[in-house]
Amino acid sequence: MKKLPLFFFILFLSTACTRDTAGDIENPDFLDITHETHFSLRTTEDIPYEIVNQSEETFYYHHLEYHIEEHVEGEWINLDLITIPSPDLAGPTPLEPGQTYGNAARLARGSDHTYEAGEYRLRFEGWFGSEEENTDSYDFVIEFTQE
């Protein structure tokens, strides 16, 4: 009889702890990323998100430098729109073990590009070690839909 609650607890964990994946990039196990997935074209300029570093090391990434990609006919197309870092926020963001970091990625808006309804993602690059990017890097993504 005691095994039944344990079974449901394990079942709950296996369904509640699914990783966020997008196309050819699967978010690494050591990052827990939460974010909203659907936005209105009329109201959205920022995509809020939270990242938890579940590793034993400090993880660095540039939260102001990311690529915006659109899902078109089964492929992710880089729109080459990267935010312009402000001088006071430039540089890598350290994420200590167990630390949560919340921010909002700003979608580039301009006369040369408008976001149609569809699937998009933000692609960030991060690494372990020091503030300087001299080790293997990891891509991770935040996927969302414009309605």
Side-chain angles (χ1 to χ4, degrees):
M1 192 63 155
K2 290 182 179 181
K3 291 183 181 180
L4 190 57
L6 178 62
F7 170 76
F8 285 115
F9 178 72
I10 292 172
L11 182 62
F12 169 76
L13 284 179
S14 66
T15 58
C17 298
T18 58
R19 288 192 310 195
D20 188 13
T21 61
D24 57 346
I25 296 176
E26 187 172 278
N27 285 338
D29 288 333
F30 59 84
L31 294 180
D32 182 17
I33 303 170
T34 58
H35 63 286
E36 295 294 325
T37 57
H38 295 276
F39 296 94
S40 164
L41 286 167
R42 287 181 231 146
T43 60
T44 301
E45 287 189 11
D46 293 339
I47 306 295
Y49 64 89
E50 282 192 346
I51 298 177
V52 180
N53 179 1
Q54 298 179 338
S55 75
E56 305 274 325
E57 301 176 60
T58 301
F59 183 71
Y60 295 88
Y61 78 103
H62 291 285
H63 73 274
L64 291 174
E65 297 177 18
Y66 48 85
H67 297 271
I68 300 174
E69 299 175 340
E70 184 176 11
H71 196 236
V72 179
E73 297 179 7
E75 291 187 42
W76 288 101
I77 308 299
N78 188 353
L79 299 178
D80 289 329
L81 300 174
I82 300 176
T83 60
I84 300 169
S86 64
D88 57 326
L89 294 176
T93 299
L95 199 56
E96 301 293 333
Q99 183 181 10
T100 300
Y101 179 77
N103 203 349
R106 178 165 289 277
L107 295 181
R109 297 266 184 196
S111 58
D112 58 339
H113 184 79
T114 56
Y115 292 92
E116 304 293 330
E119 296 177 57
Y120 295 86
R121 70 182 181 187
L122 308 173
R123 183 169 45 85
F124 296 85
E125 186 176 24
W127 64 95
F128 289 104
S130 68
E131 288 188 27
E132 296 178 14
E133 189 177 347
N134 58 4
T135 60
D136 291 339
S137 63
Y138 298 86
D139 279 351
F140 62 95
V141 295
I142 295 173
E143 187 175 353
F144 61 96
T145 300
Q146 289 280 29
E147 299 172 337

